[in-house]
Amino acid sequence: MRIRHVSPSDIERESFNIIWEELESRGRRYSPEVMPTILRVIHTTADFDYADTLSFSDRVIERAQGAIRRGAHIVTDTNMTLAGINKKSYEKYGGRIHCFMADRDVEIRARQRGVTRAAISMEKAAELQIPLIFAIGNAPTALIRLIELMENDVIHPELIIGVPVGFVNVIESKELLMECDVPFIVNKGRKGGSTVAAAIVNSILYNMPY
């Protein structure tokens, strides 16, 4: 096996070329709207299953980019997702990124009610009363509570990225989201995670039209 020398500045571009070629060889074709997101998630995970399991509501990328341009804030369910989003690119549009999981009031309310901090974090987000994008990469309880808040007309998200990972209520929470009248990007099945949620947000950002 021969190791190729690739300059640091070319590694990402070369990686995307490899992914593109492999998708082509498998006969996979996607719309120009969603292709950048599929490529970036595969680049982040090295997992081609995402080519088959990522699901997008109608015109979701266009709608997400419009919300970003209008200054929508992002709420995540992990600090890892928050750390992975390109804040410089995002904040130039006037929005901010929040994660309430470590907030003391969230911890207290969760303990008092016997629910997860992720669920309480969604309630705290609803109190912001501003346009919001949700990037859920870990906790299905966050996604379930968010859906309940929508059903009760408490919150109307601009976009929900629903990619929690795991085994308990993960598939079910994603299926519930896809039944909602809200723009969504979902990864069907058990796979997902904080890095996937961040990759999806970044893919939308990096392909914003001028």
Side-chain angles (χ1 to χ4, degrees):
M1 181 179 292
R2 183 172 63 87
I3 302 297
R4 294 184 299 142
H5 173 72
V6 181
S7 66
S9 61
D10 290 335
I11 289 174
E12 182 174 277
R13 179 176 56 81
E14 181 69 9
S15 297
F16 274 85
N17 287 339
I18 292 169
I19 296 166
W20 183 281
E21 290 170 3
E22 185 156 343
L23 289 174
E24 287 275 301
S25 72
R26 297 181 182 200
R28 299 294 197 274
R29 303 282 179 175
Y30 306 96
S31 72
E33 180 188 32
V34 304
M35 188 63 169
T37 298
I38 293 169
L39 288 172
R40 186 157 292 278
V41 170
I42 295 173
H43 175 260
T44 298
T45 61
D47 187 343
F48 278 85
D49 285 353
Y50 285 98
D52 298 316
T53 55
L54 281 169
S55 181
F56 303 82
S57 64
D58 185 49
R59 295 175 47 237
V60 65
I61 304 298
E62 175 188 341
R63 293 176 178 180
Q65 290 173 338
I68 291 170
R69 287 192 180 281
R70 293 191 298 273
H73 289 208
I74 291 178
V75 175
T76 81
D77 67 329
T78 68
N79 281 302
M80 184 180 294
T81 299
L82 186 150
I85 296 171
N86 188 320
K87 295 173 188 60
K88 184 176 180 181
S89 294
Y90 196 84
E91 291 175 357
K92 72 181 182 182
Y93 295 102
R96 291 179 55 200
I97 307 169
H98 310 269
C99 180
F100 302 124
M101 288 290 288
D103 290 8
R104 178 64 173 161
D105 61 323
V106 168
E107 178 187 357
I108 292 170
R109 286 161 63 184
R111 186 170 61 250
Q112 288 174 339
R113 289 169 50 186
V115 298
T116 67
R117 286 183 293 166
I120 298 299
S121 291
M122 298 302 101
E123 296 178 8
K124 183 167 182 176
E127 296 168 4
L128 293 175
Q129 296 293 308
I130 56 175
L132 294 173
I133 291 170
F134 289 86
I136 309 302
N138 184 64
T141 54
L143 200 51
I144 292 166
R145 185 60 182 135
L146 187 54
I147 292 167
E148 291 172 346
L149 291 169
M150 287 191 295
E151 290 175 343
N152 291 322
D153 206 28
V154 175
I155 192 168
H156 304 90
E158 301 287 330
L159 163 69
I160 300 177
I161 297 168
V163 291
V165 60
F167 300 95
V168 179
N169 289 328
V170 169
I171 295 173
E172 293 84 354
S173 66
K174 295 173 181 179
E175 290 177 348
L176 282 173
L177 174 58
M178 289 187 289
E179 295 173 359
C180 295
D181 184 20
V182 63
F184 67 78
I185 300 174
V186 165
N187 188 62
K188 298 176 182 178
R190 293 171 171 170
K191 293 182 180 180
S194 299
T195 56
V196 173
I200 292 171
V201 174
N202 287 336
S203 73
I204 296 169
L205 279 174
Y206 297 158
N207 290 279
M208 293 280 289
Y210 292 105

